[in-house]
Amino acid sequence: MDRNSTAVTAYYELLAGGTASFDPVRLRPLLADDLVFEGPIAGRVVGADRFVHGVTGFVETMRGMTMLHRLAGDGEAATLYDAELPGGTVRFAEFFRLTEGRITGLRLLYDADRYRAAGGR
């Protein structure tokens, strides 16, 4: 497994376990300092520390995660998963850009209205 695939695997290991395994200190080295995140609610956010703050809220709300698909190529990865929230299941697609084992870009797609209705924050 190459360093980029290892970074994505480690990212989901931290998220999938919910608050029991999530550790922002362990997440931070997986992210480039100038990480660019794009999502339906947050919009475009630049900076790993801001991203860590946002993902922490997601992890605190999530009750479980089921990975449906994962693809990886040269410096890119994509995943499709369902997250169990207090009010139901929400499907997410994430698209990663990676350089030398660090996540440099992440685009997250999901139904923001469904996410909020299911208790996401």
Side-chain angles (χ1 to χ4, degrees):
M1 185 178 301
D2 67 31
R3 287 178 19 181
N4 290 338
S5 293
T6 300
V8 174
T9 298
Y11 172 82
Y12 284 111
E13 286 174 353
L14 289 169
L15 268 61
T19 56
S21 68
F22 182 71
D23 181 355
V25 174
R26 287 182 42 220
L27 174 62
R28 185 60 183 82
L30 301 174
L31 310 173
D33 292 339
D34 59 350
L35 167 83
V36 176
F37 171 79
E38 294 179 51
I41 294 175
R44 186 174 191 274
V45 174
V46 178
D49 293 332
R50 290 185 64 197
F51 174 76
V52 169
H53 176 75
V55 79
T56 298
F58 169 72
V59 170
E60 290 172 349
T61 304
M62 185 185 65
R63 303 293 186 253
M65 177 185 288
T66 303
M67 186 63 63
L68 302 171
H69 297 285
R70 180 172 162 188
L71 302 168
D74 187 31
E76 298 181 328
T79 60
L80 181 69
Y81 62 90
D82 287 341
E84 293 297 325
L85 301 175
T89 303
V90 179
R91 180 152 294 166
F92 293 84
E94 284 190 283
F95 301 90
F96 296 84
R97 284 188 321 270
L98 302 115
T99 303
E100 297 179 4
R102 296 183 85 186
I103 300 167
T104 59
L106 200 155
R107 185 169 186 208
L108 179 62
L109 302 175
Y110 61 94
D111 181 332
D113 292 335
R114 173 75 187 118
Y115 177 73
R116 287 182 179 121
R121 55 183 175 108

